[in-house]
Amino acid sequence: MVASRQARIAGVLVGYLADLALGDPKRGHPVAVFGQLAAKLEQTSYRDSRLAGMTHVGALVGAVCLLGAVLQRGPGRVRSLAATATATWVSLGGMSLARTGRAMTEMLERGDLEAARRLLPSLCGRDPAGLDLPGLTRAALESVAENTSDAQVAPLLWAAIGGAPAVLGYRAVNTLDSMVGYRSPRYLRFGWAAARLDDVANYAGARVTATLVVLCAPLAGGSPLGALRAWRRDAVRHPSPNAGVVEAAFAGALGVRLGGPTRYPHGLQIRPTLGDGRQPTLADLRRAVQLSQVVQAGAALGVGLMLYRRRP
């Protein structure tokens, strides 16, 4: 049992290093393929009811977890390590997040707002059409913060806890939430199960991420006390129990103010103010990307310490 846990945690570290070295697969990304299959299934499974949404999510997440279990099944530490490493690699999005965040910054620095608007949907589901330079900057920074938990820290935690089935199941839940977990007329009931399941799946990851933001803030020129203060004061007012935690910690760490009117394709939402600093600038967006990478490295270091402590 100890050897199996060690192999699983070693696989998590290998998957993290693969993401750093390779980024996302160039073609046929498993997450993209899953999204395409989920969209096709939705064409027949959609009903304007919570039960239909629960069935949709349950079938897809169950199938992915079963696939992970099959990949990991079998004797030997090498199989467990390889399955966990591969599943962790395809589930992480740290390198892609950093690249996209830097690309967004460079476009905005050049004043190419149209290119930035085209790029924004790869970070979040907001409507970029009416966003100006400050709006694009805030949207990108908030998305970098939230995805630090969703695409970096939480996958590492789930992989360390349960190997390939757990991390693939987590990624399936997170992907479905991004597809149907909206408070729009179409998805208010059908997407309810995906949104609530994602809240549960990300609960621990968001708080671990915020803790790491507090600890790592000085490495990005930020304030640990500011991060802790904004987290404790502002996160509870956010409509998401997880996104608010991470976004507030980032806002406090970087000394900026996030939140406010946020437009999605299905309508306008008025988000609470997070942090009490200035309006974020492009320099702050660069620092957010740097802080995001440091936080993920801290999470990987924590997984490595788990492996070291469990050595016989």
Side-chain angles (χ1 to χ4, degrees):
M1 183 66 70
V2 173
S4 176
R5 287 198 299 265
Q6 289 179 345
R8 184 173 68 242
I9 294 172
V12 177
L13 295 177
V14 172
Y16 165 71
L17 294 175
D19 180 62
L20 286 183
L22 304 173
D24 288 336
K26 299 299 182 183
R27 295 181 179 179
H29 194 303
V31 175
V33 173
F34 172 80
Q36 293 166 3
L37 293 174
K40 289 183 179 180
L41 178 62
E42 184 185 333
Q43 294 175 3
T44 58
S45 66
Y46 179 82
R47 302 289 187 280
D48 189 17
S49 74
R50 288 186 176 183
L51 179 60
M54 292 171 63
T55 304
H56 179 78
V57 171
L60 288 165
V61 175
V64 169
C65 290
L66 180 61
L67 174 62
V70 170
L71 293 175
Q72 192 166 285
R73 184 179 180 182
R77 299 176 62 182
V78 173
R79 186 181 182 93
S80 177
L81 190 156
T84 301
T86 303
T88 301
W89 172 45
V90 301
S91 298
L92 285 172
M95 184 53 62
S96 293
L97 177 63
R99 289 172 177 167
T100 306
R102 286 193 291 266
M104 176 69 74
T105 307
E106 293 166 1
M107 291 173 183
L108 294 175
E109 287 175 340
R110 295 195 306 266
D112 194 347
L113 299 188
E114 286 304 316
R117 292 186 184 109
R118 289 194 297 269
L119 181 62
L120 186 66
S122 65
L123 282 173
C124 60
R126 302 184 190 185
D127 182 3
L131 294 179
D132 56 7
L133 174 60
L136 288 165
T137 303
R138 175 172 76 86
L141 200 156
E142 290 174 352
S143 299
V144 167
E146 183 177 0
N147 281 300
T148 300
S149 175
D150 290 0
Q152 297 187 32
V153 176
L156 290 175
L157 292 179
W158 280 105
I161 292 169
V167 71
L168 292 178
Y170 165 78
R171 177 47 65 197
V173 169
N174 191 246
T175 302
L176 289 170
D177 177 60
S178 70
M179 296 178 68
V180 304
Y182 294 105
R183 298 178 181 178
S184 65
R186 176 177 173 84
Y187 291 125
L188 185 61
R189 283 178 284 273
F190 184 78
W192 176 86
R196 298 291 77 76
L197 190 57
D198 185 71
D199 287 343
V200 173
N202 276 299
Y203 189 87
R207 283 143 187 85
V208 171
T209 302
T211 301
L212 289 169
V213 169
V214 172
L215 296 175
C216 299
L219 298 177
S223 167
L225 291 179
L228 183 60
R229 181 171 59 250
W231 173 10
R232 296 183 63 182
R233 183 192 64 205
D234 299 334
V236 69
R237 297 188 289 116
H238 196 280
S240 168
N242 300 322
V245 169
V246 182
E247 290 178 21
F250 263 77
L254 300 174
V256 300
R257 183 177 67 257
L258 302 177
T262 303
R263 183 168 293 280
Y264 291 90
H266 56 270
L268 179 68
Q269 294 184 11
I270 305 300
R271 294 291 178 84
T273 299
L274 305 174
D276 50 13
R278 64 187 179 280
Q279 189 176 58
T281 65
L282 294 179
D284 296 318
L285 180 54
R286 284 194 179 276
R287 293 167 62 216
V289 173
Q290 179 184 356
L291 180 57
S292 175
Q293 290 184 289
V294 172
V295 165
Q296 187 184 24
L301 177 61
V303 172
L305 292 175
M306 291 170 59
L307 176 62
Y308 175 79
R309 292 185 62 184
R310 286 178 173 174
R311 287 186 180 277

